[in-house]
Amino acid sequence: ANTGIAYRNNKYIILNNPASLSDFQSQLFLVELVGRGKLVNFSGPGITSNTTGKDFSIERLSLGIRINKWWGSSVGLMPFSTSNYSFSGTTSLQGTATTLPVEYDGSGGINRYYFANGFRITKNLSVGINTSYLGGSLTQRDTLLSADLTTGIFTTRNIYIRNWYFDYGLQYHIPVSKKWDINIGATYANKTGLRAQTTALVKDEKGDTLSSKILSNNFFTLPNSTGVGIALIKDKKLTFLADYRFQNWTSLNINGSNYSLVNSSRYSAGVEYSQLKQYLGASYETFNFQAGAFYNKSYLKIGNEQLTDKGFTLGAGLNSRRSTLSYQLSAEFGVRGSQYTPVKENYASFTFGLTYKDFWYTKGRKYE
């Protein structure tokens, strides 16, 4: 359920908290590729057709390496946000009583190019910083047709977004006994303004350009974001986790007709079981199983209803016996919205991850 602010694993790239990267196994480097497919069923008073949707995307391409005894690092690419919608309605011609049909289509997204680093300050304390560059474009196409559908005006708006983004993490490990360990973690991202340039191109039904100009050159702001988490580990095999995340959207004072952006909160919890075996005095994982649940009060409020998102996840991982490859498969099932919101989504997503692991060797002494 994307729980893991306090989670550490020395054989995988964990990006819930950059401080976890300091726990990489000695002289390990690895590459991860993650893809996701999603199925959505839409319902609500405004849904009359195309009630289902599906898409596939690459969720992450990452490289991780332990640089030295106290420093682990990762670089990669992942989506930060996506836009994909289509709906229709009517609009009034200014100064007249005439209403005309209009269609709206949107696509695009923002990508995140990141460089994350985790540093071990003491035996039990680690800190981390994730430096990201956010860049991409969002496209909206409006089609305004005449009453007899013979003429029309076609407007394409492109929003180009870019800027640097930083988030920070901290983890502390507490060895309670021979069987039990506790990890606590925290994350923070400060308010960041994204440069957003909007251009508009207007054409008629013949393809002739009626207008082309820059509408604005300003910022869209991401709010402060904080998170805390805890992990309880028994015998290095069984892990219980819980997270809480908060985003301060209300302070940005963004609202419009019948909607506003409000503070969001996300609660999640999960459990992981790892089967370990011993080989030449060292332990290695043969497979793992994970399950989790989440409840999210999103930043979007429509009328008097704050949009919610809730669901559960199942996942498993397997390490190959004949190679250094690992395979992960997970499924998420959830509901976004309710009977009181204009659109309700019942969705299922399936994620597949492939990890290649190897060791880089130096002439110097190995470190633990």
Side-chain angles (χ1 to χ4, degrees):
N2 199 33
T3 309
I5 292 177
Y7 182 67
R8 298 170 70 84
N9 190 308
N10 63 3
K11 297 179 179 67
Y12 294 96
I13 300 173
I14 309 299
L15 295 176
N16 302 74
N17 187 334
S20 68
L21 299 177
S22 67
D23 197 43
F24 276 158
Q25 185 178 352
S26 175
Q27 293 181 288
L28 175 72
F29 77 87
L30 41 86
V31 179
E32 289 188 0
L33 177 64
V34 182
R36 187 206 63 170
K38 189 173 184 179
L39 302 173
V40 185
N41 178 263
F42 301 95
S43 62
I47 304 297
T48 58
S49 62
N50 296 327
T51 59
T52 60
K54 57 185 178 180
D55 66 66
F56 176 82
S57 62
I58 299 299
E59 286 294 285
R60 192 177 80 207
L61 176 60
S62 301
L63 168 68
I65 189 170
R66 185 170 177 180
I67 298 175
N68 58 31
K69 183 176 181 179
W70 49 271
W71 181 9
S73 184
S74 176
V75 296
L77 166 66
M78 65 177 63
F80 185 77
S81 69
T82 59
S83 175
N84 187 11
Y85 61 87
S86 177
F87 63 93
S88 60
T90 59
T91 186
S92 300
L93 283 181
Q94 187 173 359
T96 72
T98 303
T99 60
L100 297 176
V102 61
E103 297 178 355
Y104 303 93
D105 295 279
S107 61
I110 302 172
N111 293 319
R112 181 174 190 169
Y113 307 86
Y114 77 87
F115 177 43
N117 294 275
F119 307 95
R120 181 171 293 178
I121 305 303
T122 67
K123 181 179 179 180
N124 296 323
L125 176 65
S126 296
V127 298
I129 179 172
N130 190 357
T131 302
S132 304
Y133 181 79
L134 305 182
S137 64
L138 305 174
T139 300
Q140 178 178 304
R141 297 178 178 88
D142 302 350
T143 302
L144 180 64
L145 301 174
S146 62
D148 58 5
L149 306 181
T150 59
T151 60
I153 296 177
F154 305 88
T155 303
T156 301
R157 294 181 179 87
N158 289 299
I159 305 175
Y160 302 96
I161 296 175
R162 64 201 184 278
N163 209 355
W164 294 96
Y165 184 70
F166 300 90
D167 56 281
Y168 313 91
L170 177 149
Q171 286 184 338
Y172 190 76
H173 174 68
I174 305 172
V176 178
S177 66
K178 291 183 178 181
K179 288 184 172 291
W180 288 93
D181 296 272
I182 297 177
N183 292 339
I184 56 175
T187 58
Y188 175 77
N190 51 292
K191 183 167 66 173
T192 302
L194 302 180
R195 297 183 182 274
Q197 183 185 80
T198 303
T199 64
L201 176 64
V202 183
K203 294 185 176 182
D204 61 18
E205 71 281 355
K206 298 178 182 179
D208 296 331
T209 299
L210 304 179
S211 174
S212 178
K213 59 183 178 180
I214 297 177
L215 296 180
S216 61
N217 194 353
N218 52 22
F219 285 83
F220 176 81
T221 303
L222 298 174
N224 291 332
S225 176
T226 57
V228 293
I230 186 171
L232 307 177
I233 306 102
K234 182 181 180 182
D235 296 327
K236 312 298 182 183
K237 298 180 180 180
L238 187 62
T239 304
F240 303 92
L241 308 102
D243 280 357
Y244 170 72
R245 300 174 186 268
F246 174 81
Q247 290 184 315
N248 187 17
W249 287 94
T250 302
S251 63
L252 303 182
N253 195 29
I254 299 176
N255 55 70
S257 176
N258 201 39
Y259 82 90
S260 60
L261 301 190
V262 296
N263 293 338
S264 66
S265 301
R266 189 181 193 273
Y267 307 84
S268 64
V271 60
E272 177 190 69
Y273 172 76
S274 298
Q275 178 174 289
L276 303 178
K277 288 189 176 182
Q278 298 292 322
Y279 181 73
L280 298 178
S283 65
Y284 68 96
E285 181 185 72
T286 57
F287 75 88
N288 63 68
F289 175 78
Q290 298 180 344
F294 62 92
Y295 177 77
N296 180 33
K297 297 176 67 176
S298 83
Y299 56 82
L300 180 59
K301 185 176 182 181
I302 303 175
N304 295 319
E305 182 81 8
Q306 186 172 358
L307 197 67
T308 60
D309 186 9
K310 53 189 175 183
F312 67 95
T313 65
L314 297 172
L318 176 68
N319 287 294
S320 174
R321 295 182 179 181
R322 298 183 179 182
S323 70
T324 57
L325 293 176
S326 299
Y327 310 92
Q328 302 88 40
L329 179 65
S330 65
E332 177 179 327
F333 305 92
V335 179
R336 183 179 292 109
S338 70
Q339 58 180 327
Y340 303 107
T341 55
V343 179
K344 179 183 178 182
E345 300 178 32
N346 293 282
Y347 63 87
S349 65
F350 303 90
T351 302
F352 177 78
L354 180 66
T355 302
Y356 171 78
K357 306 172 186 176
D358 211 334
F359 294 91
W360 61 285
Y361 298 97
T362 65
K363 296 181 180 179
R365 174 173 58 92
K366 287 188 177 181
Y367 42 81
E368 297 298 332

